[in-house]
Amino acid sequence: MSLETVLRPLREARRITAVCHENPDADTLGAALALQIAAERLGKTAEVVAADPVPPWLAFLPRAADVRTRPQLEPDVCVVFDGPLSRTGGFVAECGDWIAQARVVNIDHHVSNDGDGAAASWIDADASATCEMVALLLPRLGIEVDAEIATPLMAGIVQDTHTFAHPNATPRTLRVAADLVEAGAPLSTINR
């Protein structure tokens, strides 16, 4: 369950569906939106799916208005963020046939996630947020992080660290956050 295990399916995919957990928060949504933008820059077709609506306080995130409630792409790679497939609420219940045809990848920072149901998983309990993990993943895919990608990633880190006040904010978290600010993430706006 390492970063290396999820790189291959992401590189090989032609279509990527990024899936948020039920009642999406900034971490699941930020990771999914950042991957969608990155995948499109790699020439892939991508979408973000959340069974529940995007909360109004996250509507400022790039592409948040485009989040779908059901996948519209043909099944290829389905990346579930910030929890196991079972935490996706209505998505898993309503899209079981679609999921069965997709290669499921799971990326999460919760130690309780065993990656069950995923063909490939990367679980890093040392990460403060799934968005921290995605910030480390994208350069390995050849993606340069800019403000459009840095903003949703920073939102997830800010929420899950309570703006760096929780003990899960490690030196690595702060280095990742500094890189995101340098790339254009508006930290003070996100914090507000």
Side-chain angles (χ1 to χ4, degrees), residues 58-84:
L58 292 174
F60 76 96
L61 293 176
R63 315 245 188 133
D66 299 331
V67 174
R68 301 169 176 172
T69 57
R70 295 177 144 242
Q72 294 179 10
L73 298 178
E74 295 277 327
D76 187 357
V77 171
C78 170
V79 185
V80 179
F81 287 106
D82 202 33

Side-chain angles (χ1 to χ4, degrees), residues 16-20 24-41 46-50 54-55 57-68 79-81 130-131 134 138 143 146-156:
I16 296 177
T17 299
V19 180
C20 300
D25 62 9
D27 194 29
T28 189
L29 186 62
L33 291 170
L35 182 65
Q36 176 191 21
I37 296 164
E40 289 172 354
R41 290 183 186 174
E47 65 184 347
V48 175
V49 174
V54 171
W57 59 277
L58 292 174
F60 76 96
L61 293 176
R63 315 245 188 133
D66 299 331
V67 174
R68 301 169 176 172
V79 185
V80 179
F81 287 106
T130 302
C131 283
V134 174
L138 294 182
I143 296 296
D146 61 7
E148 187 181 27
I149 291 176
T151 298
L153 292 176
M154 181 63 83

Side-chain angles (χ1 to χ4, degrees), residues 11 88 131 186-187:
R11 286 180 178 137
T88 61
C131 283
L187 178 57

Side-chain angles (χ1 to χ4, degrees), residues 6-28:
V6 300
L7 286 172
R8 184 174 180 183
L10 292 174
R11 286 180 178 137
E12 292 175 352
R14 291 186 6 247
R15 296 173 306 280
I16 296 177
T17 299
V19 180
C20 300
H21 62 60
E22 59 193 342
N23 301 312
D25 62 9
D27 194 29
T28 189

Side-chain angles (χ1 to χ4, degrees), residues 25 27 82 109 128-130 155-162 166 168:
D25 62 9
D27 194 29
D82 202 33
H109 70 113
S128 66
T130 302
I157 293 170
V158 164
Q159 180 177 9
D160 274 21
T161 64
H162 196 63
H166 288 326
N168 66 342

